[in-house]
Amino acid sequence: MTQLPPPAGVWFVTPGHSPSRFPAAHGSGADVVLVDLEDSVPAAVKPRARQEAAAFFTPSGAAGPVRGVRISSPTTRDGILDLTAIADYPARPDLVLIPKTESARDIEIAAGALDAPGYTPHLYALIETPRALEELPSIARADRIAGVVFGTADYATATGCSQGWEALLHARSALVTSAAAAGIHAIDSPFFDLDDLDALRHESERARDLGFAGKCCVHPRQLPVVTEVFTPTSEQIAAARAIVAAAADAGGRIVRVGEQMVGPPMVKAAQALLARAARMPCKANA
């Protein structure tokens, strides 16, 4: 398998026991598409979902999104069975999302079950419990971790708080901080009100501005909104190019670009934006 850069951007999740939905997920336009073997799959059909999910990773012969899977917690029987099944798929996932992660050991378990010569999938930790938040610094520095994803529903249930932005701001900030310190991506939780696209946009903008590299979606109608929010605009790209060019001409010295004084932090931010835009050549309006 060719190792892909750690995925960011827009994520879309589809149930593993509904293979009729797989083509739509692949063609959704999301940057990452996940087949789910955990919460969206009823217990009675989990064995069937493990088998049917193999078709989600059949090579399409064309460029497309990063394809991944959300397993059950690797500390549960279902999680062990998920890992065993995935290891035997003819074509295996680019990415594995590990729910209920509460220690670096959970990442090690998944890596131990899946890593093979020529195959090391991206492993993302789903942070959705108070204990996980306490252990974030060590989780984010696990040897094989590629990123973290926030799970608001389970976290709010465990703490007794609401799912409103203010109630979860501390947890989101901690997630972004630990991810940035470890040099990995943080992806925000889905927005569960499927009809309020204005509120989805507002939350997506707040997540982006807080430092999240992307956001999960649970319905196709959410994808255009989240994609627009996390895709750099032509104006942002042009401004970033101007900053990088001016800094290069100034030999690294602080320089004025338009009405802004630009130093090393602004240059790094501009370079990061250009790198993000380069990963979405079909989306960015360059």
Side-chain angles (χ1 to χ4, degrees):
M1 164 179 287
T2 300
Q3 188 66 38
L4 300 168
V10 185
W11 292 32
F12 180 64
V13 186
T14 194
H17 64 298
S18 301
S20 62
R21 300 185 186 181
F22 293 175
H26 293 155
S28 65
D31 300 291
V32 178
V33 292
L34 298 176
V35 62
D36 188 26
L37 299 178
E38 196 211 14
D39 282 352
S40 68
V41 180
V45 298
K46 282 185 183 292
R48 174 164 60 86
R50 290 184 194 105
Q51 294 179 348
E52 293 182 335
F56 194 79
F57 306 104
T58 302
S60 64
V66 173
R67 299 183 187 186
V69 57
R70 179 171 73 168
I71 63 170
S72 297
S73 168
T75 62
T76 66
R77 182 176 183 273
D78 279 324
I80 293 169
L81 292 173
D82 291 345
L83 289 169
T84 301
I86 293 166
D88 290 334
Y89 284 174
R92 287 167 290 180
D94 302 311
L95 180 152
V96 178
L97 178 59
I98 305 165
K100 306 297 189 296
T101 298
E102 292 188 329
S103 74
R105 181 61 176 162
D106 296 336
I107 307 299
E108 295 171 3
I109 291 171
L114 296 175
D115 287 359
Y119 177 68
T120 52
H122 292 300
L123 302 179
Y124 273 66
L126 184 51
I127 305 300
E128 48 188 342
T129 67
R131 181 178 175 186
L133 202 69
E134 289 186 337
E135 299 296 327
L136 257 176
S138 62
I139 293 172
R141 287 180 169 82
D143 287 341
R144 281 281 288 104
I145 196 168
V148 291
V149 179
F150 188 33
T152 58
D154 283 277
Y155 183 84
T157 299
T159 59
C161 72
S162 77
Q163 292 190 48
W165 180 263
E166 289 76 15
L168 295 170
L169 180 57
H170 167 69
R172 280 190 165 101
S173 299
L175 208 74
V176 168
T177 299
S178 290
I184 60 176
H185 287 314
I187 306 298
D188 194 34
S189 174
F191 184 78
F192 295 103
D193 187 334
L194 303 182
D195 295 322
D196 195 342
L197 297 183
D198 289 337
L200 167 65
R201 179 180 297 277
H202 188 48
E203 182 174 283
S204 299
E205 291 171 343
R206 283 176 153 187
R208 178 202 61 198
D209 293 348
L210 194 62
F212 282 95
K215 188 173 180 64
C216 298
C217 296
V218 291
H219 193 279
R221 70 183 306 199
Q222 297 179 328
L223 290 165
V225 174
V226 178
T227 296
E228 182 180 346
V229 169
F230 280 92
T231 299
T233 65
S234 58
E235 292 80 7
Q236 290 171 327
I237 292 170
R241 286 174 175 161
I243 289 172
V244 172
D249 291 341
R253 298 187 302 273
I254 293 177
V255 64
R256 177 170 176 164
V257 180
E259 299 178 353
Q260 182 181 17
M261 293 303 295
V262 173
M266 293 82 161
V267 176
K268 288 181 179 178
Q271 291 169 335
L273 185 144
L274 293 175
R276 187 164 72 250
R279 291 194 297 266
M280 354 178 140
C282 295
K283 295 179 183 178
N285 299 315

